Amino acid sequence: MLIGLHRLLNVGNTSQTKSRSIYNTTLKGPSIQTREISNKQLSDSVESILGATYLLDETGCMAAGFLNVIGPWLPDVEEMNKSLCDPPKDWFAGKGSCMLNGYPFNEHSEWATELSKVQGILQQNRYTISALQSKAEAFCQLLTQQSKCEDQIKILQLDPTASLLLHCALFDDSIDDQECNPDTAGLDCFATLRDKLFSVGNAALQLSIVSESYHLFPMSTSGDIHLMKGVLISHDSLAYICMKTRVHECLFDTNVNATFLMRDYIDESDEVGWKEWSMRGGWIVPGGQDEFQKRIQRCRNDIHFQMERPQYMGLTAGRLWGHKKKLPDEASNNLQFCIVGALVLAFGRKDACDMIRPFFLDLMLVSPDVLRDYYMNASDLVSKYEKGKK
């Protein structure tokens, strides 16, 4: 409202709108007509504009510009500003959008200071850094087998900042369990940085899944996209993928309870999933493995590896076979993809997506309609996201 967005909206016929707000738009003409705009309409419009700015400018500069327009008027910012008549000009404090390139840490003093502090503390913990270097090397080897992005992998191994980000992503945050170990002293800020990487990675995954879904299924509705996001980045899906691709073996602490709990759930669900797939030719989609190969061939130019058959037979739609609802937190919460955040900050979203796409492509090839047809009774996520009309 404060930036005048409501004056630009074409709200159409709102006579049937149930939720009303105090926001009005006046249409001038032979007669003056006032139409009320709901809070949801304004909210949806802002999100739609952000989506349009991204599609129009994949560098992210246009989206950042729009955020600078609306940012100063957000409630939390209003409380901090003494004078709303003179809001800050650069609400979007980032020095880069991380869309096509990694984050320019050398241009952002606060980030540079934090990374320097984390690096200094890590150097004082000899056991920790030695273990993380070994784990990082194992992850790079795994990444080489999956994505074939040799240039980026070499940077991960040699560039100090990229290596530090990867080390943070692989570090488990169960410091409370290691209070008796003097070699983990001072690593709180290390774990804090890992939490930031999780937030960055989660946002990047959502954007990547939306882009990928529209590319593979151009007729998808908003409900379809929400379903795909829910399915691919649910805690259960991420934990399952983490275990099946052996990413969990690259984490700092491989002896956490989540690993053993998740292994039992996976063994059980894979057994059920194998029976379901066997009845359909080796895949949940009609046509089985033959259809899988056809879909792989259609996106062959977008991938850098060979995939002979689908690999996640234990997953339904964001859940595991035999578990219609989310698994207990203690089984899945510690097995998430903080690594994505590290890759995005090091290389930008585009290259990061190329590196991690093989981990998720198996699930992306299953259309929203197939998810609804075959997993309606196997996953509670399917009923939460109806197809919708647009």
Side-chain angles (χ1 to χ4, degrees):
M1 282 295 293
L2 289 170
I3 66 172
L5 177 61
H6 63 292
R7 299 189 184 94
L8 305 178
L9 299 181
N10 181 2
V11 296
N13 184 6
T14 60
S15 60
Q16 301 300 320
T17 302
K18 294 182 179 180
S19 58
R20 299 287 185 174
S21 76
I22 61 173
Y23 310 137
N24 297 324
T25 179
T26 300
L27 305 179
K28 295 182 178 180
S31 60
I32 297 178
Q33 184 178 13
T34 299
R35 291 179 176 175
E36 294 179 336
I37 305 174
S38 69
N39 289 327
K40 186 178 186 305
Q41 284 176 304
L42 283 172
S43 175
D44 290 348
S45 296
V46 171
E47 293 182 6
S48 297
I49 291 173
L50 277 172
T53 58
Y54 167 70
L55 293 174
L56 290 170
D57 175 22
E58 64 177 4
T59 68
C61 293
M62 186 178 291
F66 181 65
L67 288 173
N68 271 331
V69 174
I70 67 172
W73 305 110
L74 296 176
D76 290 343
V77 180
E78 287 184 16
E79 294 175 3
M80 293 186 293
N81 292 337
K82 295 182 179 179
S83 174
L84 289 178
C85 297
D86 186 24
K89 294 182 179 180
D90 295 320
W91 175 85
F92 183 77
K95 305 300 180 181
S97 63
C98 293
M99 291 296 181
L100 300 181
N101 301 294
Y103 193 78
F105 293 104
N106 58 332
E107 298 178 16
H108 198 156
S109 59
E110 290 86 352
W111 260 110
T113 299
E114 180 173 358
L115 291 181
S116 178
K117 178 182 178 182
V118 170
Q119 182 67 64
I121 292 176
L122 185 59
Q123 293 293 339
Q124 299 172 17
N125 293 267
R126 290 171 295 177
Y127 165 75
T128 302
I129 192 171
S130 176
L132 286 172
Q133 287 173 342
S134 175
K135 298 292 186 178
E137 183 60 32
F139 176 72
C140 288
Q141 292 178 4
L142 178 64
L143 206 57
T144 300
Q145 299 170 6
Q146 292 279 347
S147 67
K148 310 301 182 185
C149 296
E150 292 87 357
D151 293 342
Q152 289 81 4
I153 294 173
K154 185 176 295 185
I155 292 174
L156 272 180
Q157 294 171 316
L158 301 177
D159 181 77
T161 300
S163 296
L164 177 61
L165 293 172
L166 179 58
H167 289 164
C168 285
L170 297 175
F171 182 72
D172 77 334
D173 55 1
S174 57
I175 296 179
D176 292 340
D177 300 334
Q178 305 183 43
E179 290 180 348
C180 59
N181 186 353
D183 200 39
T184 60
L187 287 176
D188 289 12
C189 64
F190 203 59
T192 299
L193 180 54
R194 181 179 185 271
D195 291 341
K196 293 180 181 179
L197 295 178
F198 172 80
S199 297
V200 172
N202 185 267
L205 270 177
Q206 292 194 52
L207 180 57
S208 300
I209 289 168
V210 170
S211 300
E212 205 66 34
S213 297
Y214 273 122
H215 173 69
L216 293 172
F217 309 107
M219 300 306 293
S220 296
T221 66
S222 176
D224 291 338
I225 298 303
H226 281 293
L227 176 60
M228 293 294 286
K229 285 197 301 180
V231 166
L232 269 76
I233 62 174
S234 72
H235 277 200
D236 293 359
S237 290
L238 293 179
Y240 182 96
I241 294 171
C242 188
M243 294 284 291
K244 293 292 284 189
T245 57
R246 300 174 63 184
V247 170
H248 71 288
E249 297 179 5
C250 304
L251 300 179
F252 176 73
D253 187 358
T254 57
N255 295 317
V256 294
N257 290 334
T259 301
F260 303 111
L261 287 172
M262 198 65 198
R263 174 55 62 194
D264 291 339
Y265 282 121
I266 288 176
D267 290 343
E268 174 189 332
S269 63
D270 280 355
E271 183 177 350
V272 178
W274 181 83
K275 294 178 181 178
E276 294 287 339
W277 282 21
S278 297
M279 294 187 296
R280 298 179 173 85
W283 198 27
I284 194 65
V285 176
Q289 289 194 33
D290 291 339
E291 177 61 23
F292 178 80
Q293 285 300 323
K294 291 177 182 178
R295 298 191 182 194
I296 282 288
Q297 290 297 328
R298 286 201 292 267
C299 60
R300 181 66 68 188
N301 293 333
D302 298 330
I303 58 178
H304 308 278
F305 72 109
Q306 300 292 326
M307 183 183 287
E308 297 180 357
R309 61 181 63 87
Q311 51 188 333
Y312 300 145
M313 67 178 67
L315 284 177
T316 56
R319 300 289 184 250
L320 271 64
W321 276 111
H323 300 274
K324 188 173 182 178
K325 296 184 178 181
K326 181 182 181 300
L327 295 179
D329 289 344
E330 56 266 25
S332 61
N333 274 5
N334 288 337
L335 297 170
Q336 305 303 312
F337 270 72
C338 296
I339 296 168
V340 179
L343 298 179
V344 170
L345 290 176
F347 305 109
R349 191 195 68 85
K350 184 178 183 301
D351 284 349
C353 285
D354 288 342
M355 299 172 77
I356 65 167
R357 182 181 288 111
F359 295 98
F360 294 90
L361 187 60
D362 192 313
L363 301 180
M364 288 182 176
L365 294 178
V366 181
S367 71
D369 288 337
V370 169
L371 291 174
R372 293 190 179 92
D373 289 342
Y374 290 93
Y375 294 134
M376 178 61 73
N377 296 321
S379 169
D380 62 344
L381 289 176
V382 175
S383 60
K384 289 182 180 179
Y385 301 107
E386 297 181 358
K387 186 174 182 64
K389 299 180 180 179
K390 59 182 179 178

